[in-house]
């Protein structure tokens, strides 16, 4: 960009360069600083507005030597926070400014809530800006990233802000390489490495985020390519990606064409499918809204997109759409017209499209309806009453004009002919083309007989009068046909507009989500002026939903049935509906079916989830009973049986040891029965959880004291600074005790079991880390089955309620329990629980 204008001039806006990464640590800030040094070497006046090094030595080293604008300190809720000093950067007026973390939310107190708004001010001042952002901070991908990582992003930036950048550069790194960088301490401090590697920075998460970043950048590259072709008037297709367009008429052959086009698109990786329906500007052109709705659902289920374009020249509209989307293939159905129809009406849409397609490949797909169509209707369809009125007026009006005009001898032939022609046009408006044809014939005969010399005879004396009569007849027919067509198209356009508005309102009712079915029924009743609309279950006849008029229903009500799907029926009560209304009602029925299916799925999902949860609890409970009750009971019986045996004399020490064994076994049995009873009440809904804020540094000592060996090597780390969790204290104590017991059993000799905790937004993650042999990935689900030791043959010690029941207790408190690898070897049990409140220091 030329710098002939000084920074700050209104006509000179700065350029924005964005380094986009898939995850923290891929090297965005480092690349930005590297670019800064290159620009300084070229003589650019560059300052650092804000850089966040996160304690990374390499980044801090590259930052050295750059001109850094001092930060601004703001106070908020008792804390001190540093932000970019926007006014200082504007006053400094560099040619380039580095501003890290585009999606950052500013501390309250400044004039802008977001950092991207600060950057926008710098750009308006004519300052070039280089910034960074991660893919998870883009607004459009926020929900997708949360589904992948389980962590919502509270700091987002509108996609349009990044799209407006003059340059977007992807900073890419393989997931394995990023994890190695993380393990070496080049991203986070040592205390955060284990948690990061086993949670957000899992290989699957990083791979998915990397794919999102690549696809998003690829989309921007595609936009840039289209802009370049438009700017350079390049009309020919560049086959960078296989894009297939299928043309739909709403006819029965649509499904065949869609599936054929989908197979073509699937032949290459990254192929795209577009379905397009061309509607004429004069209305719906006979297309069935119901059929189009079904075909649209099929297209979307196959991963394609559906589009509607308006155009009177269908081949031109199709090819224009295909070229606008850089399509390489166009799929059309062979004509449904027969040979006679093709002979009379000339080349069809398919042939015309092929002739004009140039570099787009056109596929003419045969189907079961080829050649089975009919000639289009030539005239306007009117009611029988109106048709009869038109025929009567076509005969009566010329006779009436003849009677009147014959009494005015001063009129010449030209004037009389024009008056007759006006009468023919009037008949065309009233009765259509057929009536106008009859009127023009009658007018020609009467004009010849009464007004063309010699009068009162059909003989014409002068050749000029013959020509005049022929011209009159042709003009009368032509004008009447045009008038009839204009009237017909006006009526159709008005109806199409009304239908489009009605369907648009209907779609809005569906998209609003909750209570969609009642809203659709109400829209149907009011749009068509009905007394009532009811949705009935076909099996039992019960009303699923209904909408009734407030006043008294009409006395001459007509009941119309319209099938919605295999399980529901739409009952319409009120006036008699014409065929045109029934066509639109078919589209209504399709929307009702979609809304009804969505409600059914939501209801089924809501019903299944409690059953699944109860089943998990029941399975864990019954399986635990099989082992955990047997072990202490057998030990107690053996000890008591030995003491009661008359055949053995025990010393005092032996007797005391057996009593201790019996006492310990009965205590374990009592504790286990209590746990089982609590879980039974919980599963039955009779045990109310007493959820309360619980400090982990308070509950862990009680859990350790309940172990078989209270002096076991258990080392807490960071529990005093971790946020409080929302849990039932006794249940949390049992879960921790069971998990720690399992870790101690499999830990390396002499190594302590590490218990750590950290907050992540609204969740708290508790990790119990051992240095044992670890668990293979294929065994991680099996470890939560009761009495699973994965090769351990020591069956003399119980496992309490087992990890299976511990997971059930965790899920009952709204948490999760899972397995991760310990970096360097071993197993990490990850217990996630809701945070008791917002952590002010959480990020």
């Amino acid at each position: 960009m030329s710098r002939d204008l000084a920074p700050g001039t209104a006509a000179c806006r700065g350029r924005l360069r964005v380094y986009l990464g898939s995850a923290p640590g891929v090297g965005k800030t480092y690349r930005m600083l590297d670019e800064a040094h290159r620009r300084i070497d070229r003589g650019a006046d560059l300052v650092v507005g804000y850089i966040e090094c996160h304690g990374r030595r390499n980044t801090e080293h590259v930052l050295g030597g750059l001109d850094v604008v001092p930060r601004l300190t703001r106070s908020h809720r008792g804390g001190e926070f540093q932000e970019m000093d926007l006014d200082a950067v504007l006053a400094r007026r560099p040619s380039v400014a580095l501003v890290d973390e585009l999606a950052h939310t500013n501390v309250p107190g400044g004039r802008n809530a977001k950092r991207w708004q600060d950057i926008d001010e710098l750009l308006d001042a004519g300052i070039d800006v280089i910034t960074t952002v991660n893919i998870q901070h883009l607004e459009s991908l926020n929900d997708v990233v949360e589904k992948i990582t389980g962590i919502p992003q509270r700091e987002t930036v509108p996609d349009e802000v990044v799209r407006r950048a003059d340059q977007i550069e992807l900073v890419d790194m393989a997931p394995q390489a990023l994890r190695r960088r993380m393990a070496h301490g080049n991203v986070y401090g040592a205390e955060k490495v284990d948690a990061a590697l086993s949670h957000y920075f899992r290989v699957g998460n990083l791979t998915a985020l990397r794919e999102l970043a690549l696809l998003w950048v690829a989309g921007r590259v595609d936009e840039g390519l289209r802009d370049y072709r438009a700017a350079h008037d390049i009309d020919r297709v560049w086959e960078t990606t296989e894009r297939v367009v299928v043309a739909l008429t709403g006819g029965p052959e649509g499904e065949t064409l869609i599936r054929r086009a989908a197979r073509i698109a699937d032949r290459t990786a990254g192929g795209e499918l577009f379905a397009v329906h061309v509607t004429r500007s004069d209305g719906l052109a006979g297309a069935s809204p119901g059929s189009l709705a079904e075909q649209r659902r099929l297209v979307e289920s196959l991963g394609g997109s559906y589009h509607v374009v308006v155009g009177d020249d269908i081949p031109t509209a199709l090819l224009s759409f295909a070229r606008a989307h850089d399509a390489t293939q166009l799929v059309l159905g062979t004509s449904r017209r027969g040979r006679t129809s093709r002979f009379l009406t000339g080349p069809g849409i398919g042939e015309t499209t092929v002739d004009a397609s140039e570099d787009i490949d056109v596929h003419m797909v045969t189907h079961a309806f080829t050649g089975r169509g009919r000639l289009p209707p030539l005239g306007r369809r009117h009611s029988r009453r109106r048709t009869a009125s038109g025929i009567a007026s076509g005969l009566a009006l010329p006779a009436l004009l003849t009677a009147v005009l014959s009494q005015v001898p001063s009129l010449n032939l030209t004037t009389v002919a024009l008056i007759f022609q006006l009468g023919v046009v009037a008949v065309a408006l009233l009765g259509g083309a057929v009536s106008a044809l009859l009127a023009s014939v009658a007018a020609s005969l009467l004009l010849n007989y009464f007004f063309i010399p010699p009068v009162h005879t059909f003989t014409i004396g002068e050749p000029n009068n013959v020509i005049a009569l022929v011209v009159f007849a042709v003009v009368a027919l032509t004008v009447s046909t045009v008038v009839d067509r204009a009237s017909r198209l006006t009526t159709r356009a008005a109806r199409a507009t009304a239908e489009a508005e009605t369907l648009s309102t209907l779609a809005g009712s569906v998209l609003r989500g909750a209570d969609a079915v009642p809203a659709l029924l109400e829209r149907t009743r009011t749009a068509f002026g009905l007394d009532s609309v009811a949705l009935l279950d076909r099996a039992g006849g019960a009303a699923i939903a209904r909408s009734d008029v407030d006043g008294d229903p009409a006395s001459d009500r007509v009941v119309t049935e319209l099938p919605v799907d295999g399980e529901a029926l739409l009952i319409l009560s009120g006036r008699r509906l014409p065929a045109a209304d029934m066509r639109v009602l078919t589209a209504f029925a399709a929307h009702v079916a979609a809304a009804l299916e969505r409600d059914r799925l939501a209801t089924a999902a809501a019903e299944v989830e409690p059953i699944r949860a109860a089943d998990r609890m029941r399975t864990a409970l019954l399986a635990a009973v099989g082992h955990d009750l047997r072990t202490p009971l057998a030990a107690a019986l053996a000890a008591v049986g030995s003491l009661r045996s008359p055949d053995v004399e025990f010393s005092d020490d032996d007797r005391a040891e057996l009593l201790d064994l019996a006492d310990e076994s009965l205590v374990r049995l009592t504790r286990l029965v209590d746990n089982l009873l609590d879980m039974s009440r919980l599963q039955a809904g009779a045990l109310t959880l007493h959820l309360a804020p619980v400090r982990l540094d308070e509950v862990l000592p009680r859990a350790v004291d309940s172990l078989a060996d209270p002096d076991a090597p258990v080392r807490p780390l960071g529990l005093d600074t971790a946020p409080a969790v929302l849990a039932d204290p006794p249940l949390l104590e049992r879960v921790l005790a069971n998990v720690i017991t399992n870790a101690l059993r499999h830990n390396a000799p002499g190594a302590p079991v590490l218990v750590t905790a950290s907050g992540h937004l609204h969740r708290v993650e508790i990790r119990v880390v051992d240095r044992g042999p670890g668990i293979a990935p294929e065994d991680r689900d099996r470890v939560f089955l009761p009495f699973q030791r994965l090769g351990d043959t020591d069956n003399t010690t119980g496992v309490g309620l087992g990890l299976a029941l511990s997971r059930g207790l965790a899920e009952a408190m709204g948490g999760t329990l899972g397995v991760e690898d310990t970096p360097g070897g071993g197993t990490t049990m990850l217990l996630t629980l809701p945070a008791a409140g917002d952590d002010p220091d959480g990020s």
Side-chain angles (χ1 to χ4, degrees), residues 108-181:
R111 62 175 174 270
N112 294 323
K114 294 286 189 176
R115 183 164 291 164
W116 64 263
Q117 295 170 322
D118 294 340
I119 291 176
D120 208 42
E121 285 198 34
L122 296 176
L123 295 172
D124 287 338
I127 301 172
D128 290 351
V129 177
I130 305 177
T131 186
T132 64
V133 70
N134 283 326
I135 194 68
Q136 66 264 28
H137 294 299
L138 295 182
E139 182 66 42
S140 65
L141 300 175
N142 184 259
D143 56 338
V144 179
V145 173
E146 182 177 357
K147 290 178 182 177
I148 294 172
T149 64
I151 299 177
Q153 299 293 330
R154 290 186 290 184
E155 292 187 331
T156 59
V157 59
D159 289 43
E160 185 59 29
V161 174
V162 184
R163 283 197 181 99
R164 289 199 304 261
D166 300 276
Q167 234 180 313
I168 301 175
E169 185 171 336
L170 178 65
V171 183
D172 187 33
M173 177 174 288
Q176 294 79 2
L178 181 55
R179 284 174 59 85
R180 284 196 299 271
R181 176 181 287 185

Side-chain angles (χ1 to χ4, degrees), residues 340-494:
T340 303
S341 177
R342 290 198 297 270
F343 174 77
L344 294 175
T345 58
I349 293 173
E351 299 169 65
T352 308
T353 304
V354 171
D355 292 339
S357 63
E358 296 179 354
D359 51 356
I360 298 179
D361 296 336
V362 180
H363 298 262
M364 299 296 296
V365 179
T366 58
H367 49 82
F369 303 92
T370 299
R372 293 172 57 184
R374 297 178 296 176
L375 283 171
L378 298 176
R380 181 183 181 185
R381 294 182 180 177
H382 297 297
S383 65
R384 293 182 178 179
R385 183 176 180 181
R386 189 171 180 184
T387 301
S389 299
I391 293 174
S393 62
L395 295 174
L397 186 58
L400 180 61
L401 289 175
T402 301
V404 173
L405 295 176
S406 62
Q407 301 301 319
V408 186
S410 59
L411 297 178
N412 58 26
L413 180 60
T414 302
T415 304
V416 172
L418 289 176
I419 294 175
F420 270 105
Q421 193 172 80
L422 181 62
V424 173
V425 171
V427 172
L429 286 173
L430 177 63
V434 174
S435 300
L437 177 62
L438 182 61
S440 65
V441 172
S444 300
L445 294 174
L446 293 172
L447 185 63
N448 181 12
Y449 190 82
F450 287 100
F451 298 99
I452 297 179
V455 296
H456 302 131
T457 178
F458 289 106
T459 303
I460 301 176
E462 298 182 13
N464 288 337
N465 290 336
V466 175
I467 297 174
L469 185 61
V470 172
V471 170
F472 166 79
V474 172
V475 171
L477 285 174
T478 304
V479 171
S480 61
T481 302
V482 171
V483 169
D484 175 65
R485 177 173 173 79
S487 176
R488 175 166 52 87
L489 296 184
T490 300
T491 304
R492 180 183 295 178

